[in-house]
Coordinates of all heavy atoms in Angstrom, one line a residue:
Y1 N -8.0 6.8 -0.3 CA -7.0 6.7 -1.4 C -7.2 5.3 -2.0 O -7.3 4.3 -1.3 CB -5.6 6.8 -0.8 CG -4.5 6.5 -1.8 CD1 -4.1 7.4 -2.8 CD2 -3.9 5.2 -1.8 CE1 -3.1 7.1 -3.7 CE2 -2.9 4.9 -2.7 CZ -2.5 5.9 -3.6 OH -1.5 5.6 -4.5
T2 N -7.4 5.2 -3.3 CA -7.5 4.0 -4.0 C -6.6 4.0 -5.3 O -6.5 5.0 -6.0 CB -8.9 3.7 -4.5 OG1 -9.7 3.6 -3.3 CG2 -9.0 2.4 -5.3
K3 N -5.8 3.0 -5.5 CA -4.9 2.9 -6.6 C -5.1 1.6 -7.3 O -5.1 0.5 -6.7 CB -3.5 3.1 -6.1 CG -2.4 2.9 -7.1 CD -2.3 4.1 -8.0 CE -1.2 4.0 -9.0 NZ -1.2 5.0 -10.0
I4 N -5.2 1.6 -8.6 CA -5.2 0.4 -9.5 C -3.7 0.2 -10.0 O -3.2 1.2 -10.5 CB -6.2 0.5 -10.6 CG1 -7.6 0.8 -10.1 CG2 -6.1 -0.8 -11.5 CD1 -8.2 -0.2 -9.3
F5 N -3.2 -1.0 -9.9 CA -1.8 -1.1 -10.3 C -1.6 -2.5 -10.8 O -2.3 -3.5 -10.6 CB -0.8 -0.9 -9.1 CG -0.9 -1.9 -8.0 CD1 0.0 -3.0 -8.0 CD2 -1.8 -1.8 -7.0 CE1 0.0 -3.9 -7.0 CE2 -1.9 -2.7 -6.0 CZ -1.0 -3.8 -6.0
S6 N -0.5 -2.7 -11.6 CA -0.1 -4.0 -12.1 C 1.2 -4.3 -11.5 O 2.2 -3.5 -11.6 CB 0.1 -3.9 -13.7 OG 0.6 -5.1 -14.1
G7 N 1.3 -5.4 -10.7 CA 2.5 -5.7 -10.0 C 2.4 -6.9 -9.1 O 1.3 -7.5 -9.1
T8 N 3.5 -7.2 -8.4 CA 3.5 -8.3 -7.5 C 3.6 -8.0 -6.0 O 3.6 -8.9 -5.2 CB 4.7 -9.3 -7.9 OG1 5.9 -8.5 -7.8 CG2 4.5 -9.8 -9.3
S9 N 3.8 -6.7 -5.7 CA 3.8 -6.2 -4.3 C 3.5 -4.8 -4.2 O 3.7 -4.0 -5.2 CB 5.1 -6.5 -3.6 OG 6.1 -5.7 -4.1
V10 N 3.0 -4.4 -3.1 CA 2.7 -3.0 -2.8 C 3.0 -2.7 -1.3 O 2.8 -3.5 -0.4 CB 1.2 -2.6 -3.1 CG1 0.3 -3.5 -2.2 CG2 0.9 -1.1 -2.8
S11 N 3.7 -1.5 -1.1 CA 4.0 -1.0 0.2 C 3.5 0.4 0.3 O 3.6 1.2 -0.6 CB 5.5 -1.1 0.5 OG 6.0 -2.4 0.4
I12 N 2.9 0.7 1.5 CA 2.4 2.1 1.8 C 3.2 2.7 2.9 O 3.5 2.1 3.9 CB 0.9 2.0 2.1 CG1 0.1 1.5 0.9 CG2 0.4 3.4 2.6 CD1 -1.3 1.3 1.2
Y13 N 3.6 4.0 2.6 CA 4.4 4.7 3.6 C 3.8 6.0 4.0 O 3.0 6.6 3.2 CB 5.8 5.0 3.0 CG 6.6 3.8 2.7 CD1 6.5 3.1 1.5 CD2 7.6 3.4 3.6 CE1 7.3 2.0 1.2 CE2 8.3 2.3 3.3 CZ 8.2 1.6 2.1 OH 8.9 0.5 1.9
G14 N 4.0 6.4 5.3 CA 3.4 7.6 5.8 C 3.6 7.6 7.3 O 4.4 6.9 7.9
T15 N 2.8 8.4 7.9 CA 2.8 8.6 9.4 C 1.3 8.5 9.9 O 0.4 9.1 9.3 CB 3.3 10.0 9.8 OG1 4.6 10.1 9.2 CG2 3.4 10.1 11.3
A16 N 1.1 7.7 10.9 CA -0.2 7.5 11.4 C -0.2 7.4 13.0 O 0.6 6.6 13.5 CB -0.8 6.2 10.9
N17 N -1.0 8.2 13.6 CA -1.3 8.0 15.0 C -2.7 7.8 15.2 O -3.3 8.2 16.2 CB -0.7 9.2 15.9 CG -1.4 10.5 15.7 OD1 -2.3 10.6 14.9 ND2 -1.0 11.5 16.5
C18 N -3.4 7.2 14.2 CA -4.8 6.8 14.3 C -4.9 5.4 13.7 O -3.9 4.9 13.1 CB -5.6 7.8 13.5 SG -5.3 7.8 11.7
S19 N -6.0 4.8 13.8 CA -6.2 3.5 13.1 C -6.5 3.7 11.7 O -6.9 4.8 11.2 CB -7.4 2.8 13.8 OG -8.6 3.5 13.6
Y20 N -6.2 2.7 10.9 CA -6.5 2.8 9.4 C -6.7 1.4 8.9 O -6.4 0.4 9.5 CB -5.3 3.4 8.7 CG -4.0 2.8 8.9 CD1 -3.5 1.9 8.0 CD2 -3.2 3.1 10.0 CE1 -2.2 1.3 8.1 CE2 -2.0 2.5 10.2 CZ -1.5 1.6 9.3 OH -0.3 1.0 9.5
E21 N -7.3 1.3 7.7 CA -7.6 0.0 7.0 C -7.0 0.0 5.6 O -7.0 1.1 5.0 CB -9.1 -0.2 6.9 CG -9.8 -0.3 8.2 CD -11.3 -0.4 8.0 OE1 -11.8 -0.8 6.9 OE2 -12.0 0.0 9.0
V22 N -6.4 -1.1 5.2 CA -5.9 -1.3 3.9 C -6.6 -2.5 3.3 O -6.7 -3.5 3.9 CB -4.3 -1.5 3.9 CG1 -3.8 -1.7 2.5 CG2 -3.7 -0.3 4.6
S23 N -7.0 -2.3 2.1 CA -7.6 -3.4 1.3 C -6.9 -3.7 0.0 O -6.6 -2.7 -0.7 CB -9.1 -3.0 1.0 OG -9.7 -4.0 0.2
V24 N -6.5 -4.9 -0.2 CA -5.9 -5.3 -1.5 C -6.8 -6.3 -2.1 O -7.1 -7.4 -1.6 CB -4.5 -5.9 -1.3 CG1 -3.9 -6.4 -2.6 CG2 -3.5 -4.9 -0.6
D25 N -7.3 -6.0 -3.3 CA -8.2 -6.8 -4.1 C -9.4 -7.3 -3.2 O -9.9 -8.4 -3.3 CB -7.5 -8.0 -4.6 CG -6.4 -7.7 -5.6 OD1 -6.5 -6.6 -6.2 OD2 -5.4 -8.4 -5.8
G26 N -9.9 -6.4 -2.3 CA -11.1 -6.6 -1.5 C -10.8 -7.3 -0.2 O -11.7 -7.4 0.6
A27 N -9.6 -7.8 0.1 CA -9.3 -8.4 1.4 C -8.7 -7.2 2.3 O -7.7 -6.7 2.0 CB -8.2 -9.4 1.2
S28 N -9.5 -6.9 3.3 CA -9.2 -5.8 4.2 C -8.5 -6.2 5.5 O -8.8 -7.3 6.0 CB -10.5 -5.1 4.5 OG -10.3 -3.9 5.3
S29 N -7.6 -5.3 5.9 CA -6.9 -5.5 7.2 C -6.9 -4.2 7.9 O -6.8 -3.1 7.3 CB -5.4 -5.9 7.0 OG -5.3 -7.1 6.3
S30 N -7.1 -4.3 9.3 CA -7.1 -3.1 10.1 C -5.8 -3.0 10.9 O -5.3 -4.0 11.3 CB -8.3 -3.2 11.1 OG -9.5 -3.2 10.4
F31 N -5.4 -1.7 11.1 CA -4.1 -1.5 11.8 C -4.3 -0.4 12.8 O -5.2 0.5 12.6 CB -3.0 -1.1 10.9 CG -2.8 -2.1 9.8 CD1 -3.5 -2.1 8.6 CD2 -1.9 -3.1 10.0 CE1 -3.2 -3.1 7.6 CE2 -1.6 -4.1 9.1 CZ -2.3 -4.1 7.9
M32 N -3.6 -0.4 13.9 CA -3.6 0.7 14.9 C -2.4 1.6 14.6 O -1.6 1.4 13.7 CB -3.4 0.1 16.3 CG -4.5 -0.8 16.7 SD -6.2 0.0 16.6 CE -6.0 1.2 17.9
A33 N -2.3 2.7 15.3 CA -1.2 3.7 15.1 C 0.1 3.0 15.1 O 0.3 2.0 15.8 CB -1.3 4.8 16.2
T34 N 1.0 3.5 14.3 CA 2.4 2.9 14.2 C 3.4 4.0 14.3 O 3.2 5.2 14.0 CB 2.5 2.1 12.9 OG1 3.8 1.5 12.8 CG2 2.3 3.0 11.7
S35 N 4.6 3.6 14.7 CA 5.7 4.6 14.9 C 6.6 4.5 13.7 O 7.4 5.5 13.5 CB 6.5 4.3 16.1 OG 7.1 3.0 16.1
G36 N 6.6 3.5 12.8 CA 7.5 3.5 11.6 C 6.8 4.1 10.4 O 5.7 4.5 10.4
S37 N 7.6 4.3 9.4 CA 7.1 5.0 8.2 C 6.5 4.0 7.2 O 5.6 4.4 6.4 CB 8.2 5.8 7.5 OG 9.2 4.9 7.0
Q38 N 6.8 2.7 7.3 CA 6.2 1.7 6.5 C 4.9 1.2 7.2 O 4.9 0.6 8.2 CB 7.1 0.5 6.2 CG 6.5 -0.5 5.2 CD 7.4 -1.6 4.8 OE1 8.5 -1.6 5.2 NE2 6.9 -2.4 3.9
L39 N 3.8 1.6 6.6 CA 2.5 1.3 7.2 C 1.9 0.0 6.8 O 1.1 -0.6 7.6 CB 1.5 2.5 6.9 CG 1.9 3.9 7.3 CD1 0.9 4.9 6.8 CD2 2.1 3.9 8.8
F40 N 2.3 -0.5 5.6 CA 1.7 -1.7 5.1 C 2.5 -2.3 4.0 O 3.1 -1.5 3.2 CB 0.3 -1.4 4.6 CG -0.4 -2.6 3.9 CD1 -1.1 -3.5 4.6 CD2 -0.3 -2.7 2.5 CE1 -1.7 -4.6 4.0 CE2 -0.9 -3.8 1.8 CZ -1.6 -4.7 2.6
T41 N 2.6 -3.6 3.9 CA 3.2 -4.2 2.7 C 2.5 -5.5 2.4 O 2.0 -6.2 3.3 CB 4.7 -4.4 2.9 OG1 5.3 -4.8 1.7 CG2 5.0 -5.5 4.0
Q42 N 2.4 -5.8 1.1 CA 1.8 -7.1 0.7 C 2.6 -7.6 -0.4 O 2.8 -6.9 -1.5 CB 0.3 -6.9 0.2 CG -0.3 -8.1 -0.4 CD -0.7 -9.1 0.6 OE1 -1.4 -8.8 1.5 NE2 -0.2 -10.3 0.4
D43 N 3.3 -8.7 -0.2 CA 4.1 -9.4 -1.2 C 3.5 -10.6 -1.8 O 2.4 -11.0 -1.4 CB 5.4 -9.8 -0.5 CG 6.3 -8.7 0.0 OD1 6.4 -7.6 -0.7 OD2 6.8 -8.8 1.1
E44 N 4.1 -11.1 -2.8 CA 3.7 -12.4 -3.5 C 2.3 -12.3 -4.1 O 1.6 -13.3 -4.1 CB 3.9 -13.6 -2.5 CG 5.3 -13.7 -2.0 CD 5.4 -14.9 -1.0 OE1 4.5 -15.8 -0.9 OE2 6.5 -14.9 -0.4
L45 N 2.0 -11.2 -4.6 CA 0.7 -11.1 -5.4 C 1.0 -11.7 -6.8 O 2.1 -11.6 -7.3 CB 0.3 -9.6 -5.5 CG -0.1 -8.9 -4.2 CD1 -0.2 -7.4 -4.5 CD2 -1.4 -9.4 -3.7
P46 N 0.0 -12.2 -7.4 CA 0.1 -12.7 -8.8 C 0.4 -11.5 -9.7 O -0.1 -10.4 -9.5 CB -1.3 -13.3 -9.2 CG -2.0 -13.3 -7.9 CD -1.4 -12.5 -6.9
A47 N 1.2 -11.7 -10.7 CA 1.6 -10.6 -11.7 C 0.4 -10.3 -12.6 O 0.2 -10.8 -13.7 CB 2.8 -11.0 -12.5
Q48 N -0.5 -9.4 -12.1 CA -1.7 -9.0 -12.8 C -2.2 -7.6 -12.2 O -1.5 -7.1 -11.3 CB -2.8 -10.0 -12.6 CG -3.2 -10.3 -11.2 CD -4.2 -11.4 -11.0 OE1 -4.1 -12.4 -11.7 NE2 -5.1 -11.3 -10.1

Side-chain angles (χ1 to χ4, degrees):
Y1 171 82
T2 299
K3 175 75 175 167
I4 305 295
F5 68 96
S6 176
T8 56
S9 71
V10 58
S11 296
I12 296 175
Y13 294 86
T15 304
N17 68 355
C18 64
S19 63
Y20 57 97
E21 296 174 26
V22 179
S23 174
V24 176
D25 297 335
S28 184
S29 299
S30 296
F31 302 91
M32 297 305 291
T34 182
S35 60
S37 64
Q38 185 173 0
L39 302 176
F40 174 83
T41 191
Q42 175 71 56
D43 295 320
E44 300 180 14
L45 294 168
Q48 63 188 34

